[in-house]
Amino acid sequence: MANNENKNQPQGEQDLNEMMQLRRDKIKTFEEMGVAPFGHRYEVTHHTEDIRVKFDELEGEEDGPIVKLAGRLTAKRGHGKASFAELLDVEGKIQLYFKIDVLGEEKYAQYKLLDIGDIIGIEGRVFKSQRGEITIRVENFDLLSKSLRPLPEKFHGLKDVDLRYRQRYLDLIVNPEVRDTFRKRTRIIQEVRRYLDERGYLEVETPVLSTIAGGAAARPFITHHNTLDIDLYLRIATELSLKRLVVGGLERVYEIGRVFRNEGMDVRHNPEFTSIEFYQAYADYEEMMDLTEGIVVDAAKNVLGTTKITYEGTEIDLANVRRISMNDAVKEATGKDFLSCKTVEEARAMADEIGVKYEERHGIGGILNEAFEATVEEKLIQPTFITQHPTEISPLAKRNPENPMVTDRFEFFIYGRELANGFTELNDPIDQRQRFVDQMKQREAGDDEAHVMDEDFVTALEYGLPPTGGVGIGIDRLVMLLTDSSSIRDVLLFPTMKPLASDKSAQSAARAAAPAAEKAPEPIDFSKVEIEPLFADMVDFETFSKSDFRAVKVKACEAVKKSKKLLQFTLDDGTGTDRTILSGIHAFYEPEELIGKTLIAIVNLPPRAMMGIDSCGMLLSAVHKEEGEEKLHLLMVDDHIPAGAKLY
């Protein structure tokens, strides 16, 4: 029966099952030889790079000292009585030379049983091979951990980006550049910490759980505390807690830590990410700009050895920084001076003239910010501080003394992306309370990211917050920049991923890397499902036949800025020209999980403008209700169907 079942499995899964069984069989063979397949402590005296540097001067037949190191076998070459292998440890790879004359027959027989992926400890003498490669002649070795699964081949088995993120341990084993990225990440954080420590800052820790989600405009994650029977929020920022400490007399404080925002995911956003916020009493936003610039330049110099970097093919000079107000930047780009407007109607008219979208709730400052995001932000490639943000969008920043419509605030942009946000902190409790009230009105008008009232923070301000400057920097984005990483997931060891149970592509990837487990069919209960009644009116056949249904391949997918619902798809429709379709399904899908899928679209609909983007067609979805909640599933079809295939 087992043989018949095996025959029904795909060839790749059969092969994998057989390889894994062979490895398990070797456990018994090793045990019969008196070798424990999962060992114990091993004394390591050297690492690979250490050996390579110290003994690079060896020549000819000259031998180096005896060394002991441990790591994972990544290659075996040769047959008969001698063989070469490669060992990978935390610093890199080194060549090993196993010879029966040195090891003896019994030990050499054990070596021949080793598999790629096994972890071993070796003792041997350093020498240079005839090709001039630093090598270790193994005189003894121990099996420390038997690998029961074969490693993926570098160029064949680990192409799936989703699998790399889910099984980061494989990514780290197979891809040395990934290990290098995370070493640099640690060094960058160390440099940031050192920079502030040397300037008298105190590193502190503040609560992750709070009764109020404050300090930023973002949607929080909500959890429940059973003992207190209250809802709590995962922090969206550390700002308000840190400023309370400044009130308490800790004049220079910072915190590096995780913050959490219950929002969309794309190449720049992950629901949990690392930020640093630092606050300095008796400073203002000008001084905080200097500190921010210093942190970035210092990290680049000490980690990369230069301030001139290349990011996604673009040369950037981190030491050449521009400073310009938001209004002046918009004026440069559009010719429009929004701060000259006396009424919101004037600002709306200006925005209409240059095609900038805005909402009814936006005042002059809000419209200026929309104009900035639409016409300036993505063009800020070289390092730029944008200063004097509208008061309307800056509830925690101090008003500019010369123009109360704006605040003493800055954002630091590189490659069209915000890297840091800072300002002279608002320390007037009366003004702060009114700002919170204004923010609450924004919430009532539909902005669910507007700030909530924080009575305790206002109380703290009433005791007196000294004039203070503060900054928040996105650590992950800084690491992306300094490691030339295009996605935030490339700089997070464990990025947030959709569970495999709801991600068929990830399940396929996991099945390709593991033996297929027998699974019972998923039980589906349709008893609580409601579907919309069928239309009673008939559509004539000729009208229906004019709809052009086509298979389309998703080349790219991203969240539309300023929209909580829309995803923007770039599609291959078989014509050779990319097609853009927008779909309001962000509540049901994250952009990255749809890339590479084959969907069905109607492609002969007239373009429809959505958020200033022409949507050329409509993707088909199936919709139903379940216990009053709407459910949606995109129609996905077999990937063997080519782009442009017509449906009849």
Side-chain angles (χ1 to χ4, degrees):
M1 183 69 177
N3 289 338
N4 290 335
E5 288 179 356
N6 226 17
K7 288 178 182 178
N8 293 328
Q9 289 181 332
Q11 186 61 48
E13 293 179 357
Q14 287 185 41
D15 293 344
L16 188 59
N17 279 332
E18 290 171 6
M19 284 190 286
M20 292 183 64
Q21 188 58 53
L22 286 172
R23 288 176 177 240
R24 280 165 169 75
D25 292 342
K26 287 183 180 180
I27 289 179
K28 186 176 181 181
T29 305
F30 274 119
E31 288 174 339
E32 289 172 350
M33 290 179 163
V35 176
F38 302 99
H40 297 279
R41 178 181 179 275
Y42 191 84
E43 182 183 357
V44 174
T45 63
H46 293 76
H47 289 94
T48 52
E49 189 60 27
D50 180 35
I51 293 170
R52 191 170 286 107
V53 171
K54 283 185 177 180
F55 306 115
D56 188 52
E57 302 302 320
L58 290 175
E59 294 183 4
E61 299 297 319
E62 182 185 0
D63 281 346
I66 293 286
V67 295
K68 295 181 72 174
L69 65 162
R72 189 182 298 274
L73 273 182
T74 58
K76 289 177 72 179
R77 302 181 299 276
H79 303 282
K81 298 182 178 182
S83 179
F84 286 96
E86 278 186 351
L87 184 90
L88 172 70
D89 71 3
V90 67
E91 292 185 355
K93 291 182 180 180
I94 198 164
Q95 182 168 265
L96 307 178
Y97 181 50
F98 292 84
K99 194 175 181 184
I100 192 169
D101 294 347
V102 176
L103 289 168
E105 291 188 8
E106 182 180 347
K107 202 69 179 178
Y108 195 73
Q110 293 176 19
Y111 162 73
K112 294 182 75 173
L113 286 171
L114 294 176
D115 290 307
I116 302 300
D118 289 350
I119 297 174
I120 62 172
I122 68 103
E123 181 177 4
R125 191 171 295 279
V126 181
F127 74 102
K128 260 192 179 177
S129 69
Q130 291 181 344
R131 295 184 177 182
E133 183 174 353
I134 292 290
T135 307
I136 300 173
R137 185 186 302 112
V138 180
E139 298 184 358
N140 195 13
F141 72 90
D142 292 308
L143 177 59
L144 302 179
S145 185
K146 183 81 188 104
S147 175
L148 300 184
R149 290 178 178 267
L151 295 179
E153 296 177 53
K154 181 172 183 180
F155 298 107
H156 302 289
L158 209 58
K159 275 186 176 181
D160 190 308
V161 174
D162 188 84
L163 178 61
R164 287 182 51 222
Y165 295 148
R166 289 185 188 280
Q167 297 183 318
R168 182 66 86 184
Y169 41 88
L170 290 181
D171 197 21
L172 291 167
I173 292 169
V174 173
N175 297 315
E177 66 276 7
V178 174
R179 294 195 299 276
D180 184 58
T181 292
F182 287 104
R183 287 195 190 97
K184 285 179 179 175
R185 179 188 173 98
T186 295
R187 290 188 59 201
I188 289 165
I189 294 173
Q190 289 172 340
E191 290 300 328
V192 172
R193 182 175 273 117
R194 179 193 57 77
Y195 190 90
L196 291 173
D197 288 347
E198 289 178 354
R199 286 157 179 78
Y201 277 80
L202 179 69
E203 184 174 10
V204 297
E205 294 174 307
T206 62
V208 171
L209 295 174
S210 174
T211 55
I212 292 176
R219 284 182 292 175
F221 286 94
I222 304 173
T223 187
H224 188 78
H225 191 288
N226 291 330
T227 301
L228 297 178
D229 192 24
I230 58 171
D231 285 341
L232 294 172
Y233 302 93
L234 272 67
R235 66 185 181 193
I236 57 175
T238 56
E239 176 171 348
L240 300 187
S241 293
L242 291 173
K243 286 198 282 193
R244 285 174 169 90
L245 298 180
V246 179
V247 170
L250 302 181
E251 294 183 358
R252 298 187 181 199
V253 293
Y254 75 92
E255 181 172 11
I256 299 175
R258 281 293 218 234
V259 292
F260 309 85
R261 298 185 181 179
N262 194 359
E263 298 173 339
M265 295 162 57
D266 56 34
V267 294
R268 285 180 282 170
H269 297 88
N270 193 69
E272 57 174 311
F273 59 95
T274 302
S275 77
I276 177 172
E277 292 194 35
F278 52 97
Y279 294 84
Q280 180 174 326
Y282 312 112
D284 65 6
Y285 82 116
E286 296 276 0
E287 189 167 352
M288 305 318 283
M289 277 194 280
D290 294 340
L291 279 168
T292 301
E293 184 177 343
I295 283 172
V296 174
V297 169
D298 187 75
K301 281 182 179 177
N302 292 325
V303 177
L304 305 180
T306 179
T307 61
K308 293 182 178 180
I309 65 169
T310 299
Y311 185 73
E312 295 193 343
T314 299
E315 291 187 3
I316 296 172
D317 185 357
L318 298 174
N320 184 16
V321 181
R322 187 187 187 202
R323 301 183 182 188
I324 183 173
S325 73
M326 179 183 287
N327 194 58
D328 286 345
V330 171
K331 196 190 307 183
E332 276 188 8
T334 68
K336 302 297 182 183
D337 182 356
F338 281 89
L339 291 186
S340 69
C341 297
K342 303 301 181 185
T343 66
V344 70
E345 287 75 21
E346 289 180 60
R348 289 172 180 170
M350 279 189 184
D352 291 340
E353 288 177 26
I354 57 177
V356 169
K357 305 293 182 183
Y358 53 85
E359 297 179 30
E360 188 68 26
R361 62 185 174 84
H362 286 144
I364 295 171
I367 295 172
L368 168 59
N369 185 59
E370 294 294 319
F372 167 77
E373 292 184 353
T375 65
V376 178
E377 185 171 334
E378 291 185 352
K379 300 174 184 176
L380 299 175
I381 303 302
Q382 297 302 319
T384 306
F385 284 107
I386 296 294
T387 64
Q388 297 184 7
H389 288 56
T391 304
E392 182 181 334
I393 63 164
S394 309
L396 299 169
K398 197 176 186 70
R399 294 179 194 267
N400 183 279
E402 297 175 4
N403 184 357
M405 288 183 67
V406 298
T407 59
D408 286 344
R409 175 186 172 189
F410 69 84
E411 286 181 306
F412 191 31
F413 289 89
I414 303 176
Y415 198 73
R417 301 171 180 177
E418 178 198 338
L419 182 67
N421 180 28
F423 35 83
T424 304
E425 303 298 330
L426 176 59
N427 62 341
D428 178 346
I430 299 171
D431 190 1
Q432 180 65 81
R433 179 180 293 279
Q434 186 56 50
R435 303 271 196 98
F436 281 153
V437 170
D438 292 341
Q439 285 286 296
M440 293 297 288
K441 291 177 181 177
Q442 294 277 10
R443 289 183 72 85
E444 292 170 5
D447 184 358
D448 59 0
E449 294 184 355
H451 213 289
V452 296
M453 176 64 74
D454 189 334
E455 289 287 356
D456 182 74
F457 180 67
V458 175
T459 299
L461 293 187
E462 289 174 344
Y463 283 100
L465 171 69
T468 299
V471 180
I473 299 176
I475 292 293
D476 307 305
R477 291 188 182 180
L478 178 60
V479 175
M480 286 172 64
L481 185 73
L482 297 185
T483 59
D484 193 14
S485 299
S486 59
S487 171
I488 192 172
R489 294 186 176 191
D490 292 329
V491 299
L492 297 174
L493 280 168
F494 300 103
T496 303
M497 304 291 289
K498 201 163 189 174
L500 288 174
S502 58
D503 188 339
K504 292 182 181 178
S505 65
Q507 285 180 322
S508 299
R511 281 196 295 268
E518 291 188 24
K519 292 176 63 178
E522 179 190 356
I524 301 175
D525 180 9
F526 288 116
S527 62
K528 298 178 181 179
V529 168
E530 302 171 35
I531 60 172
E532 187 176 316
L534 299 182
F535 283 106
D537 298 333
M538 294 295 180
V539 177
D540 66 272
F541 185 82
E542 184 179 354
T543 300
F544 168 76
S545 65
K546 290 178 181 177
S547 296
D548 195 4
F549 295 87
R550 300 279 178 162
V552 293
K553 306 277 187 182
V554 182
K555 298 176 66 175
C557 184
E558 61 183 359
V560 176
K561 285 185 177 181
K562 309 301 289 182
S563 172
K564 298 179 178 66
K565 297 180 180 179
L566 289 174
L567 295 182
Q568 179 177 338
F569 291 82
T570 301
L571 303 165
D572 176 5
D573 61 6
T575 65
T577 301
D578 289 346
R579 175 180 294 271
T580 298
I581 293 181
L582 275 65
S583 184
I585 59 172
H586 201 173
F588 305 97
Y589 292 97
E590 293 302 335
E592 290 187 358
E593 69 182 285
L594 297 173
I595 296 171
K597 300 296 186 185
T598 305
L599 311 178
I600 301 300
I602 302 176
V603 296
N604 63 334
L605 297 173
R608 182 165 60 132
M610 303 169 71
M611 299 293 290
I613 303 168
D614 281 343
S615 179
C616 302
M618 183 174 74
L619 294 171
L620 298 189
S621 301
V623 180
H624 69 271
K625 283 189 175 181
E626 199 167 325
E627 297 183 316
E629 181 182 355
E630 185 177 75
K631 304 283 187 178
L632 177 145
H633 298 277
L634 272 173
L635 294 191
M636 301 183 191
V637 295
D638 194 300
D639 290 335
H640 290 90
I641 299 175
K646 184 174 176 63
L647 272 68
Y648 289 94

